[in-house]
Amino acid sequence: MTQTSLKISADFDSGNIEVIDASNPSRTILAIRPDTRSPHFQWFHFKVENLHVGHAHAFSLNNAGQSSYSRAWSGYNVVASYDHEHWFRVPTTYDGAALDFSIEPTEPQVYFAYFEPYSRVRHDRLIEQAINKAGLELIATGKSIEGRDVQLLRRGDGNASKRNIWIIAQQHPGEHMAEWFMEGLIERLQDVADPVMAQLLSVANLYLVPHMNPDGSFHGHLRTNAMGKDLNRAWQDSTEALSPEVFFVRQQMEQYGVDLFLDVHGDEEIPYIFAAACEGNPGYTPHQQQLEEHFRRRLSEITRDFQSRYGYPRARPGHANMDLACNSTGERYKCLALTLEMPFKDNDDAPDALTGWSGKRSKQLAKDVLTTIAEMIPVLR
Ligand code: ZN
């Protein structure tokens, strides 16, 4: 059998791969490229062309064992798509050093990624949809290091008698499920016949930052912005020079106030959806504790895609990392402040072998979170 060589590319939005050895089209050796000015790496996203339809093609990421969260590869399956629209999981194994996966393609070209990517083109459409169809207003635009827009949207008139709900997403640029979540939020806000949203909006202003780290995502980073800064470790000392994305949002929060803060992320290792809170803050209040328990209990009643058995170890009193958005904001505003984590793998309480955790499921979770928030408005202050 003559074999044409595979064409492998990652020179596009959120692309990340290095070709180590593509001389054997049935087994290609690849590596993940680190973030700019940072040793972090885990996110990958690339396209393969000239595949032999119906033949097995294997790929090996040979530096997976040195990635930021090497334990995360156990129980993980790579996502693939022929059209960059419909994504499915492919068989994947991890031997402690390399991540190996394979496909018998039905098309001559395929995309692979760490998770279903949320593109910058889709982001731009989402902002338009939010403004033109979901009644949101673009009230301020920050700039990333490289000059990309960081939009702050608001639904509500900003009246000070209302509760101010802040939801931000994708500080960590490789956590693409976070902007899928924001798309779900905006989709629900579009439904004018939704009585829960009508009630919520009569008593609350919603402030949304759909994407905190556009440079990092564009460059295919896992963790950092274009200066190599982890934005969710920059909330104490954010600067315009190193972390203008956080600097901007903190300024806007000061201007409008915060009664509830949700920071949306993805977790590489844990196959469940959970919320981390600010129990380790020096000024942690009993009211904050009640609100955290209320949120966790209610959301887990509404959906199997949330639980509170599994998550991060709780911080000891007074030992919180105050550089985190959740802790910093909870301390400053003495409000309910949570980091919401979705899996890269799957929800082991409700697994889906075809897709694992996905963009679609992230969107549905957002709609259920809105129900929980709507119910909690009377007790927030
Ligand atoms: Zn994160």
Side-chain angles (χ1 to χ4, degrees), residues 272-286:
Y272 296 97
I273 301 88
F274 59 97
C278 49
E279 69 282 341
N281 278 5
Y284 187 56
T285 69

PDB file of all heavy atoms in Angstrom, residues 272-286:
ATOM      1  N   TYR A 272     -16.283  15.166  37.918  1.00  0.00           N
ATOM      2  CA  TYR A 272     -17.562  15.611  38.485  1.00  0.00           C
ATOM      3  C   TYR A 272     -17.643  17.122  38.340  1.00  0.00           C
ATOM      4  O   TYR A 272     -16.632  17.789  38.116  1.00  0.00           O
ATOM      5  CB  TYR A 272     -17.659  15.255  39.978  1.00  0.00           C
ATOM      6  CG  TYR A 272     -17.664  13.771  40.238  1.00  0.00           C
ATOM      7  CD1 TYR A 272     -16.481  13.120  40.593  1.00  0.00           C
ATOM      8  CD2 TYR A 272     -18.836  13.031  40.111  1.00  0.00           C
ATOM      9  CE1 TYR A 272     -16.469  11.742  40.807  1.00  0.00           C
ATOM     10  CE2 TYR A 272     -18.833  11.660  40.327  1.00  0.00           C
ATOM     11  CZ  TYR A 272     -17.649  11.025  40.674  1.00  0.00           C
ATOM     12  OH  TYR A 272     -17.641   9.669  40.877  1.00  0.00           O
ATOM     13  N   ILE A 273     -18.837  17.673  38.556  1.00  0.00           N
ATOM     14  CA  ILE A 273     -19.031  19.121  38.562  1.00  0.00           C
ATOM     15  C   ILE A 273     -19.169  19.535  40.023  1.00  0.00           C
ATOM     16  O   ILE A 273     -19.920  18.920  40.785  1.00  0.00           O
ATOM     17  CB  ILE A 273     -20.285  19.515  37.757  1.00  0.00           C
ATOM     18  CG1 ILE A 273     -20.141  19.034  36.306  1.00  0.00           C
ATOM     19  CG2 ILE A 273     -20.474  21.025  37.764  1.00  0.00           C
ATOM     20  CD1 ILE A 273     -20.617  17.636  36.038  1.00  0.00           C
ATOM     21  N   PHE A 274     -18.448  20.572  40.397  1.00  0.00           N
ATOM     22  CA  PHE A 274     -18.442  20.978  41.805  1.00  0.00           C
ATOM     23  C   PHE A 274     -18.121  22.461  41.915  1.00  0.00           C
ATOM     24  O   PHE A 274     -17.712  23.102  40.935  1.00  0.00           O
ATOM     25  CB  PHE A 274     -17.427  20.154  42.604  1.00  0.00           C
ATOM     26  CG  PHE A 274     -16.005  20.262  42.113  1.00  0.00           C
ATOM     27  CD1 PHE A 274     -15.110  21.150  42.703  1.00  0.00           C
ATOM     28  CD2 PHE A 274     -15.549  19.467  41.071  1.00  0.00           C
ATOM     29  CE1 PHE A 274     -13.793  21.252  42.256  1.00  0.00           C
ATOM     30  CE2 PHE A 274     -14.234  19.564  40.616  1.00  0.00           C
ATOM     31  CZ  PHE A 274     -13.361  20.454  41.202  1.00  0.00           C
ATOM     32  N   ALA A 275     -18.313  23.011  43.116  1.00  0.00           N
ATOM     33  CA  ALA A 275     -18.011  24.421  43.369  1.00  0.00           C
ATOM     34  C   ALA A 275     -17.033  24.528  44.528  1.00  0.00           C
ATOM     35  O   ALA A 275     -17.234  23.899  45.565  1.00  0.00           O
ATOM     36  CB  ALA A 275     -19.285  25.196  43.682  1.00  0.00           C
ATOM     37  N   ALA A 276     -15.990  25.312  44.331  1.00  0.00           N
ATOM     38  CA  ALA A 276     -15.075  25.643  45.425  1.00  0.00           C
ATOM     39  C   ALA A 276     -15.481  26.998  45.971  1.00  0.00           C
ATOM     40  O   ALA A 276     -15.960  27.865  45.227  1.00  0.00           O
ATOM     41  CB  ALA A 276     -13.640  25.677  44.908  1.00  0.00           C
ATOM     42  N   ALA A 277     -15.317  27.201  47.271  1.00  0.00           N
ATOM     43  CA  ALA A 277     -15.787  28.430  47.911  1.00  0.00           C
ATOM     44  C   ALA A 277     -14.659  29.087  48.693  1.00  0.00           C
ATOM     45  O   ALA A 277     -13.506  28.689  48.581  1.00  0.00           O
ATOM     46  CB  ALA A 277     -16.977  28.110  48.805  1.00  0.00           C
ATOM     47  N   CYS A 278     -14.992  30.107  49.465  1.00  0.00           N
ATOM     48  CA  CYS A 278     -13.933  30.891  50.119  1.00  0.00           C
ATOM     49  C   CYS A 278     -13.894  30.680  51.626  1.00  0.00           C
ATOM     50  O   CYS A 278     -13.681  31.613  52.387  1.00  0.00           O
ATOM     51  CB  CYS A 278     -14.015  32.357  49.727  1.00  0.00           C
ATOM     52  SG  CYS A 278     -15.621  33.121  49.854  1.00  0.00           S
ATOM     53  N   GLU A 279     -14.045  29.404  52.032  1.00  0.00           N
ATOM     54  CA  GLU A 279     -14.062  29.080  53.467  1.00  0.00           C
ATOM     55  C   GLU A 279     -12.741  29.379  54.170  1.00  0.00           C
ATOM     56  O   GLU A 279     -12.703  29.491  55.392  1.00  0.00           O
ATOM     57  CB  GLU A 279     -14.437  27.606  53.668  1.00  0.00           C
ATOM     58  CG  GLU A 279     -13.404  26.569  53.213  1.00  0.00           C
ATOM     59  CD  GLU A 279     -13.384  26.340  51.714  1.00  0.00           C
ATOM     60  OE1 GLU A 279     -14.357  26.685  51.039  1.00  0.00           O
ATOM     61  OE2 GLU A 279     -12.359  25.813  51.214  1.00  0.00           O
ATOM     62  N   GLY A 280     -11.658  29.533  53.414  1.00  0.00           N
ATOM     63  CA  GLY A 280     -10.371  29.819  54.041  1.00  0.00           C
ATOM     64  C   GLY A 280     -10.065  31.306  54.184  1.00  0.00           C
ATOM     65  O   GLY A 280      -8.999  31.693  54.656  1.00  0.00           O
ATOM     66  N   ASN A 281     -11.026  32.158  53.776  1.00  0.00           N
ATOM     67  CA  ASN A 281     -10.780  33.608  53.846  1.00  0.00           C
ATOM     68  C   ASN A 281     -10.668  34.089  55.292  1.00  0.00           C
ATOM     69  O   ASN A 281     -11.402  33.610  56.159  1.00  0.00           O
ATOM     70  CB  ASN A 281     -11.941  34.371  53.177  1.00  0.00           C
ATOM     71  CG  ASN A 281     -11.812  34.430  51.672  1.00  0.00           C
ATOM     72  OD1 ASN A 281     -10.914  33.828  51.086  1.00  0.00           O
ATOM     73  ND2 ASN A 281     -12.720  35.146  51.036  1.00  0.00           N
ATOM     74  N   PRO A 282      -9.792  35.070  55.551  1.00  0.00           N
ATOM     75  CA  PRO A 282      -9.688  35.601  56.916  1.00  0.00           C
ATOM     76  C   PRO A 282     -11.001  36.214  57.417  1.00  0.00           C
ATOM     77  O   PRO A 282     -11.302  36.125  58.599  1.00  0.00           O
ATOM     78  CB  PRO A 282      -8.578  36.664  56.819  1.00  0.00           C
ATOM     79  CG  PRO A 282      -8.348  36.897  55.369  1.00  0.00           C
ATOM     80  CD  PRO A 282      -8.800  35.670  54.637  1.00  0.00           C
ATOM     81  N   GLY A 283     -11.785  36.812  56.495  1.00  0.00           N
ATOM     82  CA  GLY A 283     -13.029  37.452  56.924  1.00  0.00           C
ATOM     83  C   GLY A 283     -14.277  36.657  56.591  1.00  0.00           C
ATOM     84  O   GLY A 283     -15.368  37.221  56.465  1.00  0.00           O
ATOM     85  N   TYR A 284     -14.122  35.357  56.431  1.00  0.00           N
ATOM     86  CA  TYR A 284     -15.246  34.467  56.077  1.00  0.00           C
ATOM     87  C   TYR A 284     -16.379  34.597  57.098  1.00  0.00           C
ATOM     88  O   TYR A 284     -16.142  34.570  58.303  1.00  0.00           O
ATOM     89  CB  TYR A 284     -14.716  33.041  56.063  1.00  0.00           C
ATOM     90  CG  TYR A 284     -15.662  31.980  55.561  1.00  0.00           C
ATOM     91  CD1 TYR A 284     -16.243  32.063  54.305  1.00  0.00           C
ATOM     92  CD2 TYR A 284     -15.944  30.853  56.342  1.00  0.00           C
ATOM     93  CE1 TYR A 284     -17.075  31.060  53.832  1.00  0.00           C
ATOM     94  CE2 TYR A 284     -16.777  29.841  55.879  1.00  0.00           C
ATOM     95  CZ  TYR A 284     -17.337  29.960  54.621  1.00  0.00           C
ATOM     96  OH  TYR A 284     -18.159  28.957  54.156  1.00  0.00           O
ATOM     97  N   THR A 285     -17.621  34.727  56.621  1.00  0.00           N
ATOM     98  CA  THR A 285     -18.750  34.963  57.533  1.00  0.00           C
ATOM     99  C   THR A 285     -19.694  33.749  57.568  1.00  0.00           C
ATOM    100  O   THR A 285     -19.779  32.999  56.591  1.00  0.00           O
ATOM    101  CB  THR A 285     -19.574  36.194  57.090  1.00  0.00           C
ATOM    102  OG1 THR A 285     -20.254  35.872  55.859  1.00  0.00           O
ATOM    103  CG2 THR A 285     -18.687  37.416  56.888  1.00  0.00           C
ATOM    104  N   PRO A 286     -20.433  33.576  58.657  1.00  0.00           N
ATOM    105  CA  PRO A 286     -21.445  32.507  58.718  1.00  0.00           C
ATOM    106  C   PRO A 286     -22.478  32.638  57.599  1.00  0.00           C
ATOM    107  O   PRO A 286     -22.953  31.633  57.076  1.00  0.00           O
ATOM    108  CB  PRO A 286     -22.098  32.705  60.097  1.00  0.00           C
ATOM    109  CG  PRO A 286     -21.070  33.428  60.904  1.00  0.00           C
ATOM    110  CD  PRO A 286     -20.326  34.299  59.942  1.00  0.00           C
TER     111      PRO A 286
END
